[in-house]
Amino acid sequence: MVLFSPSVLTADFMHLGDAVAALDAAHTDMLHLDVMDGIFVPNISFGMPVVASVRKATKTFLDVHLMIDRPHRYIEAFAKAGADSIGFHIEAGSPVEQTLRQIHALGKKNCLTIKPATPAQAVFPYLPLCDMVLVMSVEPGFGGQKFMYEALDKIRQLREQADKLKLPLHIEVDGGINLETAPLAVKAGADVLVAGNVLFSAPDMAARLTELRTLTANL
Ligand code: DX5
Ligand code: ZN
């Protein structure tokens, strides 16, 4: 089954609650929260207080994507803020195995994330410790960018390796997902799709989510 994790990055933050309510009404599977620090990525978005406010507003699974430098310093804070899954970048300068284990020790799901220039093989040694791997299909930092098709090969390699090790790994793809790229990502082996612009630019988010679900079912 394919799960959708809409990113609220391009929402109007003055009315973030309305966006969360609309996505809940559209029966989203998760909510994807993009945390940026202006150091690991050029952009700055939001941090723990916003995650905590979203937590109060919904019971939906919160998929937190940390794009911050040395994320191990903040794992506990995001767990306390109410994240259900905490994802961090392998390139961000944290001890990878220790941070993956720390997230589990706090009772949360973990997600190891790679930027476009990082090969899939970089995460292979950690796969038995991961609930999910996130393959970035744009340079992290901004919503609304074009999908990088090179990500598809990485997804294939990861799915192959997870199958070889008989791991029930979730593979998430993030960036430039639209009506054309969503089925390609699923065919390659992704089962969690982040969707930002494709939903927020739609006249009717619920109808667009249904459309995405239909296009990615039974592939
Ligand atoms: C980019 C973020 C993405 C992004 C997705 O750094 O991690 O989650 O907001 O937005 P779209 O779907 O518009 O590419
Ligand atoms: Zn993201």
Side-chain angles (χ1 to χ4, degrees), residues 106-190:
L106 290 160
K108 309 296 180 180
K109 302 284 186 199
N110 66 29
C111 172
L112 189 55
T113 303
I114 52 174
K115 295 211 274 187
T118 304
Q121 289 73 16
V123 301
F124 282 7
Y126 306 105
L127 290 185
L129 288 172
C130 295
D131 297 303
M132 181 152 84
V133 168
L134 192 170
V135 175
M136 291 297 307
S137 39
V138 298
E139 282 302 335
F142 301 92
Q145 301 183 74
K146 268 193 69 181
F147 186 85
M148 296 166 78
Y149 288 84
E150 306 89 281
L152 295 174
D153 267 335
K154 287 160 68 171
I155 295 168
R156 270 182 221 112
Q157 291 160 5
L158 272 164
R159 182 53 75 203
E160 208 178 294
Q161 183 70 5
D163 287 349
K164 201 165 110 189
L165 301 176
K166 297 195 170 32
L167 297 171
L169 181 77
H170 286 294
I171 301 177
E172 182 173 35
V173 58
D174 183 7
I177 288 295
N178 58 33
L179 299 173
E180 183 236 325
T181 56
L184 299 178
V186 171
K187 269 191 211 146

Side-chain angles (χ1 to χ4, degrees), residues 5-10 32-36 41 43 65 67 89 134 136-147 173-178 194-200:
S5 192
S7 165
V8 297
L9 187 62
T10 47
H32 185 83
L33 301 178
D34 287 305
V35 175
M36 304 181 183
V41 288
N43 199 6
H65 176 193
M67 284 162 274
H89 277 262
L134 192 170
M136 291 297 307
S137 39
V138 298
E139 282 302 335
F142 301 92
Q145 301 183 74
K146 268 193 69 181
F147 186 85
V173 58
D174 183 7
I177 288 295
N178 58 33
V194 176
N197 198 54
V198 68
L199 294 178
F200 281 87

